[in-house]
Amino acid sequence: MDGMTRSVDEQALVRTAHRVLPAGHFGNVASDLIIAEGRGGRVWDASGNEYIDYLLGSGPMFVGHAHPEVTEAVLAQVPKGTTFFANNEHGIRLAEAIVEAVPCAGQVRFVSSGTEADMYAMRAARAFRRRDRILKFEGGYHGMSDWGLMSLAPRHLANFPTPVPDSAGIPRSAREEVLVAPFNDLDAARALIAAHHDELGGVILEPFQRLIPPAPGFLQGIREVTAQYGIPLIFDEVVTGFRFAYGGAQSYYGVTPDLCTLGKIVGGGFPLAAIAGRADIMAHFDKAIVGEDGFLMQVGTLSGNPVAAAAGLATLSILRRPGAYEQVFARGRALMQGLEALIRQAGLPAQVVGEPPLFDVVFTAGEVRNYRDMLRADTAMQKHFNTQLRAAGILKGESKYYLSLAHTEEDVAQTLQAFAGAVAALPSKAG
């Protein structure tokens, strides 16, 4: 528990959750917390406790909870119908906005989750390339498919390029279809791609992997080697899309892939995600162009849902306004710099890793460039730090502070004060 006072009603809900849900939760954050309301950059639990929210629903609430313009757009659509299994204007307009914003986006196909988007992006690359294997990077998250859940967080490290499944229930045969490379090691990745280029249907990576920025030249090098062999490069931008810049991480870092996946922000808090990319690859979703043998079947009951699309359109309209990203970056930078200063003053073996819209503290002294570097981190220290912050009214996941346009200077000041208290309460300040 986090030290907050819990009402009788919330305690009863927690008990019910443990009775009817595996592990007592939806598979996301811990089951001891039940969120009842969110407004702007804050949320309230079922006991009325208030938190500055850096969880943001795992990232989609980039303009804040219950933004009045998003709410207005949703409420205008709901009385007109909530889903049609057919084209609708909001979905078409949202696809148009994505094509205009995202460098790689020639066309768009909607789905309802990031997992689906990543799965279909890999399938589209394989259909285009007519090869079966996918190369991914250790520590990269690409949804819950059998191929996505390879070497995300392996408990037992294997030699590259051998994949390690992250879940029970994944067929052994799936391991034959995935190769794994180390993130931020361009020489190793180039060598693997060159050695296996005739087997590869595609290469997928998060341009910003979990918390880890790409090393200078890394993304450019992967772009060059995949282009050399004609292998589709997929950027998983479910997290970074419209977060680092209006055109996503590919705009922010200046590297354009062949395909990308989008989620979270583009749905404005509703279940919507997308595959976007070159028209000749996206053509595999169109039987009239590629024929029976090249056709990639994709059907989803809620794909392009008009309510979600209306929320996404309203969100993107807000983000297009001058100063929106500058504000998010300024608030995030203030938090990162303030936390870094506290860490130095305390003599902690720790560092702040990430970019201003998305970062965290990692309790390790060495450089953090890839998943194996993250394994050196003191997870007990991290848990203790997060517990102290929760007690001070700061809500975040196990890793990551998600910044939003709704976070205020007051939120930043209060968070820095909470950081100071949490650092002071850590059990060890050296060694």
Side-chain angles (χ1 to χ4, degrees):
M1 299 295 283
D2 55 27
M4 292 286 189
T5 301
R6 299 293 165 197
S7 69
V8 171
D9 287 346
E10 186 173 24
Q11 292 178 52
L13 277 171
V14 169
R15 289 194 297 272
T16 300
H18 279 274
R19 179 169 56 83
V20 299
L21 300 171
H25 54 74
F26 304 141
N28 301 327
V29 297
S31 59
D32 63 331
L33 183 68
I34 297 173
I35 298 298
E37 184 179 357
R39 294 195 307 274
R42 301 197 174 214
V43 293
W44 288 259
D45 64 27
S47 299
N49 297 306
E50 182 177 347
Y51 306 84
I52 300 174
D53 184 21
Y54 296 108
L55 182 60
L56 295 182
S58 191
M61 311 314 300
F62 192 55
V63 299
H65 295 281
H67 191 290
E69 293 174 51
V70 177
T71 300
E72 181 182 5
V74 168
L75 293 180
Q77 176 57 42
V78 167
K80 300 176 182 178
T82 55
T83 201
F84 305 122
F85 198 64
N87 279 5
N88 63 83
E89 182 176 356
H90 293 315
I92 293 169
R93 296 297 183 200
L94 181 58
E96 181 182 35
I98 291 169
V99 168
E100 290 173 353
V102 177
C104 81
Q107 291 186 318
V108 174
R109 177 57 68 97
F110 288 118
V111 289
S112 296
S113 71
T115 286
E116 290 175 273
D118 287 336
M119 179 190 72
Y120 281 116
M122 287 186 275
R123 189 174 293 169
R126 289 195 297 256
F128 175 81
R129 174 81 167 150
R130 297 183 181 272
R131 303 288 191 277
D132 291 340
R133 303 184 90 174
I134 295 290
L135 184 140
K136 65 156 294 187
F137 290 82
E138 186 179 63
Y141 175 53
H142 305 298
M144 293 282 120
S145 71
D146 291 346
W147 308 282
L149 276 182
M150 288 289 180
S151 295
L152 160 64
R155 295 183 297 277
H156 307 291
L157 298 178
N159 293 330
F160 299 112
T162 303
V164 179
D166 295 295
S167 173
I170 293 177
R172 183 172 296 274
S173 59
R175 304 179 201 184
E176 304 296 322
E177 297 162 359
V178 178
L179 300 173
V180 177
F183 188 71
N184 272 337
D185 187 336
L186 181 55
D187 288 342
R190 273 181 175 150
L192 282 171
I193 292 168
H196 297 276
H197 69 90
D198 201 42
E199 308 164 47
L200 288 173
V203 172
I204 188 169
L205 78 161
E206 294 176 286
F208 171 89
Q209 186 177 277
R210 307 287 74 212
L211 285 171
I212 305 171
F218 177 71
L219 295 179
Q220 291 86 347
I222 298 299
R223 172 67 286 181
E224 288 167 7
V225 70
T226 51
Q228 176 185 346
Y229 291 110
I231 301 168
L233 175 61
I234 306 164
F235 276 7
D236 182 338
E237 293 226 45
V238 169
V239 171
T240 57
F242 293 94
R243 189 179 310 278
F244 284 11
Y246 191 69
Q250 56 195 273
S251 289
Y252 185 69
Y253 293 122
V255 178
T256 303
D258 301 299
L259 292 168
C260 77
T261 55
L262 301 165
K264 297 188 187 290
I265 290 172
V266 292
F270 286 79
L272 184 145
I275 310 102
R278 280 172 28 192
D280 57 335
I281 302 177
M282 296 298 291
H284 285 275
F285 292 103
D286 187 343
K287 189 187 296 185
I289 293 177
V290 298
E292 288 280 358
D293 291 344
F295 177 54
L296 198 168
M297 179 181 288
Q298 184 273 317
V299 177
T301 301
L302 298 177
S303 296
N305 174 268
V307 178
L313 274 171
T315 298
L316 298 194
S317 175
I318 295 162
L319 294 178
R320 281 196 297 271
R321 292 171 189 164
Y325 286 93
E326 289 81 357
Q327 178 179 312
V328 172
F329 271 74
R331 304 266 157 85
R333 196 171 291 115
L335 288 172
M336 292 179 77
Q337 292 172 349
L339 181 53
E340 193 77 67
L342 289 165
I343 288 167
R344 285 198 306 271
Q345 291 164 13
L348 287 167
Q351 58 195 286
V352 178
V353 178
E355 301 277 10
L358 182 59
F359 67 90
D360 206 347
V361 59
V362 179
F363 288 91
T364 183
E367 187 179 13
V368 176
R369 289 170 53 91
N370 56 44
Y371 172 75
R372 298 191 184 197
D373 291 341
M374 291 289 285
L375 291 179
R376 300 194 313 265
D378 187 334
T379 54
M381 188 80 86
Q382 179 83 60
K383 184 175 181 180
H384 187 83
F385 190 67
N386 288 344
T387 298
Q388 294 294 322
L389 290 173
R390 177 82 71 85
I394 306 298
L395 181 64
K396 66 182 289 285
E398 290 183 8
S399 69
K400 300 193 194 78
Y401 294 85
Y402 281 108
L403 266 289
S404 83
L405 195 58
H407 286 122
T408 65
E409 291 185 4
E410 179 187 352
D411 293 333
V412 170
Q414 186 176 330
T415 303
L416 289 172
Q417 186 176 11
F419 283 164
V423 167
L426 288 173
S428 173
K429 295 190 174 68

mmCIF file of all heavy atoms in Angstrom, residues 375-417:
data_model
loop_
_atom_site.group_PDB
_atom_site.id
_atom_site.type_symbol
_atom_site.label_atom_id
_atom_site.label_comp_id
_atom_site.label_asym_id
_atom_site.label_seq_id
_atom_site.Cartn_x
_atom_site.Cartn_y
_atom_site.Cartn_z
ATOM 1 N N LEU A 375 19.496 -3.669 -16.715
ATOM 2 C CA LEU A 375 19.478 -4.764 -15.749
ATOM 3 C C LEU A 375 20.375 -4.497 -14.551
ATOM 4 O O LEU A 375 20.217 -5.129 -13.498
ATOM 5 C CB LEU A 375 19.907 -6.067 -16.429
ATOM 6 C CG LEU A 375 18.939 -6.653 -17.458
ATOM 7 C CD1 LEU A 375 19.516 -7.931 -18.059
ATOM 8 C CD2 LEU A 375 17.576 -6.924 -16.838
ATOM 9 N N ARG A 376 21.326 -3.586 -14.676
ATOM 10 C CA ARG A 376 22.200 -3.240 -13.553
ATOM 11 C C ARG A 376 21.499 -2.375 -12.517
ATOM 12 O O ARG A 376 22.018 -2.152 -11.416
ATOM 13 C CB ARG A 376 23.446 -2.499 -14.042
ATOM 14 C CG ARG A 376 24.331 -3.272 -15.023
ATOM 15 C CD ARG A 376 25.688 -2.578 -15.143
ATOM 16 N NE ARG A 376 25.529 -1.147 -15.335
ATOM 17 C CZ ARG A 376 25.515 -0.526 -16.512
ATOM 18 N NH1 ARG A 376 25.635 -1.243 -17.623
ATOM 19 N NH2 ARG A 376 25.378 0.783 -16.594
ATOM 20 N N ALA A 377 20.340 -1.833 -12.863
ATOM 21 C CA ALA A 377 19.666 -0.889 -11.979
ATOM 22 C C ALA A 377 19.210 -1.562 -10.687
ATOM 23 O O ALA A 377 18.866 -2.743 -10.654
ATOM 24 C CB ALA A 377 18.469 -0.269 -12.692
ATOM 25 N N ASP A 378 19.194 -0.769 -9.627
ATOM 26 C CA ASP A 378 18.735 -1.229 -8.308
ATOM 27 C C ASP A 378 17.213 -1.100 -8.276
ATOM 28 O O ASP A 378 16.666 -0.023 -8.015
ATOM 29 C CB ASP A 378 19.386 -0.376 -7.224
ATOM 30 C CG ASP A 378 19.097 -0.879 -5.816
ATOM 31 O OD1 ASP A 378 18.052 -1.530 -5.615
ATOM 32 O OD2 ASP A 378 19.912 -0.593 -4.915
ATOM 33 N N THR A 379 16.523 -2.205 -8.535
ATOM 34 C CA THR A 379 15.057 -2.163 -8.618
ATOM 35 C C THR A 379 14.408 -1.964 -7.248
ATOM 36 O O THR A 379 13.329 -1.384 -7.155
ATOM 37 C CB THR A 379 14.513 -3.448 -9.262
ATOM 38 O OG1 THR A 379 15.012 -4.585 -8.553
ATOM 39 C CG2 THR A 379 14.941 -3.533 -10.727
ATOM 40 N N ALA A 380 15.076 -2.412 -6.196
ATOM 41 C CA ALA A 380 14.537 -2.196 -4.849
ATOM 42 C C ALA A 380 14.546 -0.706 -4.515
ATOM 43 O O ALA A 380 13.589 -0.172 -3.935
ATOM 44 C CB ALA A 380 15.350 -2.981 -3.823
ATOM 45 N N MET A 381 15.614 -0.018 -4.905
ATOM 46 C CA MET A 381 15.693 1.430 -4.689
ATOM 47 C C MET A 381 14.614 2.142 -5.496
ATOM 48 O O MET A 381 13.959 3.072 -5.017
ATOM 49 C CB MET A 381 17.073 1.926 -5.082
ATOM 50 C CG MET A 381 17.335 3.378 -4.725
ATOM 51 S SD MET A 381 17.764 3.598 -2.989
ATOM 52 C CE MET A 381 19.540 3.308 -3.072
ATOM 53 N N GLN A 382 14.412 1.686 -6.740
ATOM 54 C CA GLN A 382 13.383 2.269 -7.594
ATOM 55 C C GLN A 382 12.000 2.111 -6.959
ATOM 56 O O GLN A 382 11.209 3.062 -6.917
ATOM 57 C CB GLN A 382 13.393 1.583 -8.962
ATOM 58 C CG GLN A 382 12.337 2.082 -9.932
ATOM 59 C CD GLN A 382 12.758 3.338 -10.654
ATOM 60 O OE1 GLN A 382 13.754 3.329 -11.344
ATOM 61 N NE2 GLN A 382 12.014 4.407 -10.491
ATOM 62 N N LYS A 383 11.710 0.932 -6.466
ATOM 63 C CA LYS A 383 10.411 0.678 -5.846
ATOM 64 C C LYS A 383 10.217 1.545 -4.611
ATOM 65 O O LYS A 383 9.133 2.106 -4.392
ATOM 66 C CB LYS A 383 10.295 -0.807 -5.486
ATOM 67 C CG LYS A 383 8.935 -1.191 -4.928
ATOM 68 C CD LYS A 383 8.843 -2.695 -4.696
ATOM 69 C CE LYS A 383 7.461 -3.063 -4.155
ATOM 70 N NZ LYS A 383 7.340 -4.522 -3.916
ATOM 71 N N HIS A 384 11.261 1.672 -3.792
ATOM 72 C CA HIS A 384 11.171 2.496 -2.592
ATOM 73 C C HIS A 384 10.910 3.957 -2.968
ATOM 74 O O HIS A 384 10.077 4.635 -2.355
ATOM 75 C CB HIS A 384 12.470 2.374 -1.784
ATOM 76 C CG HIS A 384 12.418 3.056 -0.457
ATOM 77 N ND1 HIS A 384 11.862 2.469 0.663
ATOM 78 C CD2 HIS A 384 12.842 4.289 -0.063
ATOM 79 C CE1 HIS A 384 11.943 3.300 1.680
ATOM 80 N NE2 HIS A 384 12.545 4.411 1.270
ATOM 81 N N PHE A 385 11.611 4.440 -3.984
ATOM 82 C CA PHE A 385 11.446 5.816 -4.436
ATOM 83 C C PHE A 385 10.025 6.055 -4.930
ATOM 84 O O PHE A 385 9.376 7.042 -4.558
ATOM 85 C CB PHE A 385 12.461 6.090 -5.545
ATOM 86 C CG PHE A 385 12.564 7.534 -5.955
ATOM 87 C CD1 PHE A 385 13.069 8.488 -5.086
ATOM 88 C CD2 PHE A 385 12.179 7.943 -7.224
ATOM 89 C CE1 PHE A 385 13.188 9.819 -5.463
ATOM 90 C CE2 PHE A 385 12.288 9.268 -7.608
ATOM 91 C CZ PHE A 385 12.798 10.210 -6.729
ATOM 92 N N ASN A 386 9.507 5.127 -5.744
ATOM 93 C CA ASN A 386 8.146 5.265 -6.260
ATOM 94 C C ASN A 386 7.110 5.227 -5.146
ATOM 95 O O ASN A 386 6.096 5.937 -5.201
ATOM 96 C CB ASN A 386 7.859 4.166 -7.280
ATOM 97 C CG ASN A 386 8.589 4.367 -8.595
ATOM 98 O OD1 ASN A 386 9.083 5.450 -8.892
ATOM 99 N ND2 ASN A 386 8.669 3.317 -9.397
ATOM 100 N N THR A 387 7.345 4.401 -4.139
ATOM 101 C CA THR A 387 6.414 4.316 -3.010
ATOM 102 C C THR A 387 6.354 5.633 -2.257
ATOM 103 O O THR A 387 5.270 6.099 -1.863
ATOM 104 C CB THR A 387 6.831 3.175 -2.063
ATOM 105 O OG1 THR A 387 6.775 1.935 -2.782
ATOM 106 C CG2 THR A 387 5.901 3.092 -0.863
ATOM 107 N N GLN A 388 7.510 6.244 -2.049
ATOM 108 C CA GLN A 388 7.548 7.542 -1.380
ATOM 109 C C GLN A 388 6.794 8.602 -2.188
ATOM 110 O O GLN A 388 6.069 9.435 -1.628
ATOM 111 C CB GLN A 388 9.004 7.983 -1.176
ATOM 112 C CG GLN A 388 9.804 7.114 -0.221
ATOM 113 C CD GLN A 388 9.286 7.195 1.202
ATOM 114 O OE1 GLN A 388 8.882 8.247 1.677
ATOM 115 N NE2 GLN A 388 9.276 6.055 1.881
ATOM 116 N N LEU A 389 6.951 8.557 -3.493
ATOM 117 C CA LEU A 389 6.264 9.529 -4.341
ATOM 118 C C LEU A 389 4.754 9.326 -4.322
ATOM 119 O O LEU A 389 3.987 10.298 -4.272
ATOM 120 C CB LEU A 389 6.789 9.427 -5.778
ATOM 121 C CG LEU A 389 8.216 9.918 -5.992
ATOM 122 C CD1 LEU A 389 8.683 9.598 -7.403
ATOM 123 C CD2 LEU A 389 8.319 11.422 -5.738
ATOM 124 N N ARG A 390 4.323 8.070 -4.350
ATOM 125 C CA ARG A 390 2.873 7.804 -4.290
ATOM 126 C C ARG A 390 2.279 8.361 -3.003
ATOM 127 O O ARG A 390 1.200 8.970 -3.018
ATOM 128 C CB ARG A 390 2.625 6.295 -4.385
ATOM 129 C CG ARG A 390 1.161 5.879 -4.260
ATOM 130 C CD ARG A 390 0.395 6.016 -5.549
ATOM 131 N NE ARG A 390 0.800 5.015 -6.507
ATOM 132 C CZ ARG A 390 0.304 3.773 -6.568
ATOM 133 N NH1 ARG A 390 -0.626 3.389 -5.697
ATOM 134 N NH2 ARG A 390 0.720 2.949 -7.490
ATOM 135 N N ALA A 391 2.993 8.179 -1.885
ATOM 136 C CA ALA A 391 2.513 8.705 -0.600
ATOM 137 C C ALA A 391 2.446 10.230 -0.612
ATOM 138 O O ALA A 391 1.655 10.837 0.123
ATOM 139 C CB ALA A 391 3.422 8.225 0.533
ATOM 140 N N ALA A 392 3.277 10.859 -1.468
ATOM 141 C CA ALA A 392 3.280 12.321 -1.568
ATOM 142 C C ALA A 392 2.316 12.836 -2.637
ATOM 143 O O ALA A 392 2.303 14.034 -2.947
ATOM 144 C CB ALA A 392 4.695 12.810 -1.874
ATOM 145 N N GLY A 393 1.528 11.929 -3.228
ATOM 146 C CA GLY A 393 0.529 12.344 -4.204
ATOM 147 C C GLY A 393 1.040 12.447 -5.625
ATOM 148 O O GLY A 393 0.497 13.221 -6.427
ATOM 149 N N ILE A 394 2.052 11.645 -5.962
ATOM 150 C CA ILE A 394 2.576 11.594 -7.321
ATOM 151 C C ILE A 394 2.269 10.211 -7.888
ATOM 152 O O ILE A 394 2.722 9.203 -7.350
ATOM 153 C CB ILE A 394 4.102 11.828 -7.359
ATOM 154 C CG1 ILE A 394 4.477 13.136 -6.653
ATOM 155 C CG2 ILE A 394 4.616 11.790 -8.792
ATOM 156 C CD1 ILE A 394 3.891 14.378 -7.280
ATOM 157 N N LEU A 395 1.511 10.162 -8.975
ATOM 158 C CA LEU A 395 1.140 8.883 -9.579
ATOM 159 C C LEU A 395 1.957 8.647 -10.840
ATOM 160 O O LEU A 395 2.007 9.495 -11.734
ATOM 161 C CB LEU A 395 -0.347 8.868 -9.930
ATOM 162 C CG LEU A 395 -0.875 7.569 -10.554
ATOM 163 C CD1 LEU A 395 -0.758 6.401 -9.579
ATOM 164 C CD2 LEU A 395 -2.320 7.728 -11.010
ATOM 165 N N LYS A 396 2.618 7.495 -10.899
ATOM 166 C CA LYS A 396 3.359 7.083 -12.083
ATOM 167 C C LYS A 396 3.358 5.571 -12.137
ATOM 168 O O LYS A 396 2.960 4.898 -11.185
ATOM 169 C CB LYS A 396 4.811 7.604 -12.041
ATOM 170 C CG LYS A 396 5.643 6.994 -10.920
ATOM 171 C CD LYS A 396 7.050 7.570 -10.873
ATOM 172 C CE LYS A 396 7.903 7.117 -12.036
ATOM 173 N NZ LYS A 396 8.368 5.716 -11.895
ATOM 174 N N GLY A 397 3.793 5.014 -13.270
ATOM 175 C CA GLY A 397 3.951 3.580 -13.361
ATOM 176 C C GLY A 397 5.266 3.145 -12.739
ATOM 177 O O GLY A 397 6.001 3.951 -12.150
ATOM 178 N N GLU A 398 5.579 1.856 -12.882
ATOM 179 C CA GLU A 398 6.848 1.368 -12.352
ATOM 180 C C GLU A 398 8.018 2.092 -12.989
ATOM 181 O O GLU A 398 9.048 2.324 -12.351
ATOM 182 C CB GLU A 398 6.974 -0.143 -12.586
ATOM 183 C CG GLU A 398 6.018 -0.963 -11.737
ATOM 184 C CD GLU A 398 6.211 -2.449 -11.946
ATOM 185 O OE1 GLU A 398 7.183 -2.848 -12.634
ATOM 186 O OE2 GLU A 398 5.390 -3.226 -11.424
ATOM 187 N N SER A 399 7.892 2.429 -14.252
ATOM 188 C CA SER A 399 8.881 3.254 -14.929
ATOM 189 C C SER A 399 8.145 4.238 -15.817
ATOM 190 O O SER A 399 7.056 3.956 -16.287
ATOM 191 C CB SER A 399 9.838 2.403 -15.765
ATOM 192 O OG SER A 399 9.175 1.834 -16.879
ATOM 193 N N LYS A 400 8.726 5.399 -15.999
ATOM 194 C CA LYS A 400 8.237 6.458 -16.880
ATOM 195 C C LYS A 400 7.398 7.505 -16.151
ATOM 196 O O LYS A 400 6.434 7.190 -15.451
ATOM 197 C CB LYS A 400 7.415 5.941 -18.059
ATOM 198 C CG LYS A 400 8.118 5.012 -18.996
ATOM 199 C CD LYS A 400 7.272 4.867 -20.261
ATOM 200 C CE LYS A 400 7.744 3.704 -21.092
ATOM 201 N NZ LYS A 400 7.298 2.426 -20.565
ATOM 202 N N TYR A 401 7.785 8.750 -16.371
ATOM 203 C CA TYR A 401 6.933 9.908 -16.121
ATOM 204 C C TYR A 401 6.457 10.370 -17.489
ATOM 205 O O TYR A 401 7.263 10.771 -18.336
ATOM 206 C CB TYR A 401 7.712 11.047 -15.455
ATOM 207 C CG TYR A 401 8.186 10.739 -14.061
ATOM 208 C CD1 TYR A 401 9.387 10.064 -13.863
ATOM 209 C CD2 TYR A 401 7.448 11.119 -12.942
ATOM 210 C CE1 TYR A 401 9.840 9.780 -12.596
ATOM 211 C CE2 TYR A 401 7.903 10.829 -11.661
ATOM 212 C CZ TYR A 401 9.094 10.156 -11.499
ATOM 213 O OH TYR A 401 9.540 9.868 -10.234
ATOM 214 N N TYR A 402 5.151 10.319 -17.723
ATOM 215 C CA TYR A 402 4.564 10.865 -18.933
ATOM 216 C C TYR A 402 4.149 12.312 -18.650
ATOM 217 O O TYR A 402 3.343 12.560 -17.747
ATOM 218 C CB TYR A 402 3.317 10.087 -19.336
ATOM 219 C CG TYR A 402 3.550 8.771 -20.041
ATOM 220 C CD1 TYR A 402 3.313 7.555 -19.399
ATOM 221 C CD2 TYR A 402 3.936 8.735 -21.376
ATOM 222 C CE1 TYR A 402 3.480 6.347 -20.053
ATOM 223 C CE2 TYR A 402 4.101 7.533 -22.049
ATOM 224 C CZ TYR A 402 3.873 6.341 -21.382
ATOM 225 O OH TYR A 402 4.032 5.146 -22.044
ATOM 226 N N LEU A 403 4.669 13.241 -19.424
ATOM 227 C CA LEU A 403 4.270 14.643 -19.289
ATOM 228 C C LEU A 403 3.085 14.936 -20.201
ATOM 229 O O LEU A 403 2.947 14.323 -21.262
ATOM 230 C CB LEU A 403 5.433 15.564 -19.644
ATOM 231 C CG LEU A 403 6.314 16.041 -18.493
ATOM 232 C CD1 LEU A 403 5.555 17.034 -17.615
ATOM 233 C CD2 LEU A 403 6.832 14.885 -17.670
ATOM 234 N N SER A 404 2.274 15.909 -19.796
ATOM 235 C CA SER A 404 1.128 16.303 -20.612
ATOM 236 C C SER A 404 1.067 17.810 -20.753
ATOM 237 O O SER A 404 1.690 18.557 -19.988
ATOM 238 C CB SER A 404 -0.183 15.794 -19.990
ATOM 239 O OG SER A 404 -0.636 16.680 -18.977
ATOM 240 N N LEU A 405 0.281 18.244 -21.712
ATOM 241 C CA LEU A 405 0.043 19.663 -21.914
ATOM 242 C C LEU A 405 -0.714 20.265 -20.731
ATOM 243 O O LEU A 405 -0.669 21.479 -20.509
ATOM 244 C CB LEU A 405 -0.754 19.855 -23.208
ATOM 245 C CG LEU A 405 -0.840 21.247 -23.821
ATOM 246 C CD1 LEU A 405 0.545 21.792 -24.138
ATOM 247 C CD2 LEU A 405 -1.699 21.215 -25.082
ATOM 248 N N ALA A 406 -1.382 19.419 -19.956
ATOM 249 C CA ALA A 406 -2.183 19.903 -18.836
ATOM 250 C C ALA A 406 -1.374 20.100 -17.559
ATOM 251 O O ALA A 406 -1.859 20.717 -16.611
ATOM 252 C CB ALA A 406 -3.332 18.924 -18.556
ATOM 253 N N HIS A 407 -0.151 19.582 -17.498
ATOM 254 C CA HIS A 407 0.660 19.785 -16.293
ATOM 255 C C HIS A 407 1.089 21.251 -16.208
ATOM 256 O O HIS A 407 1.520 21.846 -17.183
ATOM 257 C CB HIS A 407 1.881 18.862 -16.302
ATOM 258 C CG HIS A 407 1.533 17.441 -16.007
ATOM 259 N ND1 HIS A 407 1.824 16.400 -16.871
ATOM 260 C CD2 HIS A 407 0.906 16.878 -14.945
ATOM 261 C CE1 HIS A 407 1.394 15.265 -16.343
ATOM 262 N NE2 HIS A 407 0.832 15.532 -15.180
ATOM 263 N N THR A 408 0.954 21.801 -15.008
ATOM 264 C CA THR A 408 1.170 23.228 -14.779
ATOM 265 C C THR A 408 2.493 23.475 -14.068
ATOM 266 O O THR A 408 3.145 22.547 -13.578
ATOM 267 C CB THR A 408 0.033 23.796 -13.922
ATOM 268 O OG1 THR A 408 0.096 23.175 -12.613
ATOM 269 C CG2 THR A 408 -1.331 23.520 -14.546
ATOM 270 N N GLU A 409 2.870 24.747 -13.966
ATOM 271 C CA GLU A 409 4.050 25.107 -13.194
ATOM 272 C C GLU A 409 3.868 24.729 -11.727
ATOM 273 O O GLU A 409 4.828 24.341 -11.049
ATOM 274 C CB GLU A 409 4.337 26.599 -13.337
ATOM 275 C CG GLU A 409 4.806 26.995 -14.734
ATOM 276 C CD GLU A 409 5.196 28.453 -14.831
ATOM 277 O OE1 GLU A 409 5.181 29.141 -13.784
ATOM 278 O OE2 GLU A 409 5.521 28.906 -15.937
ATOM 279 N N GLU A 410 2.644 24.846 -11.225
ATOM 280 C CA GLU A 410 2.361 24.415 -9.852
ATOM 281 C C GLU A 410 2.599 22.912 -9.692
ATOM 282 O O GLU A 410 3.164 22.459 -8.686
ATOM 283 C CB GLU A 410 0.909 24.753 -9.488
ATOM 284 C CG GLU A 410 0.508 24.320 -8.083
ATOM 285 C CD GLU A 410 -0.971 24.510 -7.804
ATOM 286 O OE1 GLU A 410 -1.675 25.118 -8.651
ATOM 287 O OE2 GLU A 410 -1.433 24.047 -6.735
ATOM 288 N N ASP A 411 2.192 22.131 -10.688
ATOM 289 C CA ASP A 411 2.440 20.688 -10.645
ATOM 290 C C ASP A 411 3.940 20.401 -10.611
ATOM 291 O O ASP A 411 4.400 19.521 -9.872
ATOM 292 C CB ASP A 411 1.828 20.000 -11.869
ATOM 293 C CG ASP A 411 0.313 20.051 -11.885
ATOM 294 O OD1 ASP A 411 -0.291 20.141 -10.811
ATOM 295 O OD2 ASP A 411 -0.254 19.994 -12.999
ATOM 296 N N VAL A 412 4.700 21.133 -11.419
ATOM 297 C CA VAL A 412 6.142 20.934 -11.456
ATOM 298 C C VAL A 412 6.756 21.251 -10.096
ATOM 299 O O VAL A 412 7.571 20.483 -9.564
ATOM 300 C CB VAL A 412 6.786 21.810 -12.555
ATOM 301 C CG1 VAL A 412 8.309 21.802 -12.440
ATOM 302 C CG2 VAL A 412 6.362 21.316 -13.932
ATOM 303 N N ALA A 413 6.354 22.377 -9.505
ATOM 304 C CA ALA A 413 6.898 22.765 -8.196
ATOM 305 C C ALA A 413 6.554 21.736 -7.126
ATOM 306 O O ALA A 413 7.407 21.358 -6.307
ATOM 307 C CB ALA A 413 6.364 24.141 -7.811
ATOM 308 N N GLN A 414 5.310 21.262 -7.134
ATOM 309 C CA GLN A 414 4.896 20.260 -6.144
ATOM 310 C C GLN A 414 5.643 18.944 -6.349
ATOM 311 O O GLN A 414 6.020 18.271 -5.381
ATOM 312 C CB GLN A 414 3.385 20.041 -6.229
ATOM 313 C CG GLN A 414 2.832 19.121 -5.148
ATOM 314 C CD GLN A 414 1.315 19.016 -5.207
ATOM 315 O OE1 GLN A 414 0.637 19.959 -5.620
ATOM 316 N NE2 GLN A 414 0.778 17.872 -4.800
ATOM 317 N N THR A 415 5.865 18.586 -7.618
ATOM 318 C CA THR A 415 6.574 17.338 -7.909
ATOM 319 C C THR A 415 8.030 17.430 -7.467
ATOM 320 O O THR A 415 8.582 16.475 -6.907
ATOM 321 C CB THR A 415 6.483 17.013 -9.410
ATOM 322 O OG1 THR A 415 5.103 16.940 -9.790
ATOM 323 C CG2 THR A 415 7.160 15.684 -9.726
ATOM 324 N N LEU A 416 8.669 18.577 -7.721
ATOM 325 C CA LEU A 416 10.060 18.739 -7.299
ATOM 326 C C LEU A 416 10.183 18.650 -5.779
ATOM 327 O O LEU A 416 11.151 18.088 -5.250
ATOM 328 C CB LEU A 416 10.607 20.074 -7.809
ATOM 329 C CG LEU A 416 10.849 20.150 -9.317
ATOM 330 C CD1 LEU A 416 11.215 21.575 -9.732
ATOM 331 C CD2 LEU A 416 11.939 19.167 -9.748
ATOM 332 N N GLN A 417 9.191 19.182 -5.078
ATOM 333 C CA GLN A 417 9.178 19.061 -3.619
ATOM 334 C C GLN A 417 9.048 17.593 -3.200
ATOM 335 O O GLN A 417 9.723 17.125 -2.274
ATOM 336 C CB GLN A 417 8.022 19.889 -3.049
ATOM 337 C CG GLN A 417 7.998 19.967 -1.526
ATOM 338 C CD GLN A 417 6.892 20.890 -1.019
ATOM 339 O OE1 GLN A 417 6.018 21.322 -1.782
ATOM 340 N NE2 GLN A 417 6.926 21.204 0.258
#
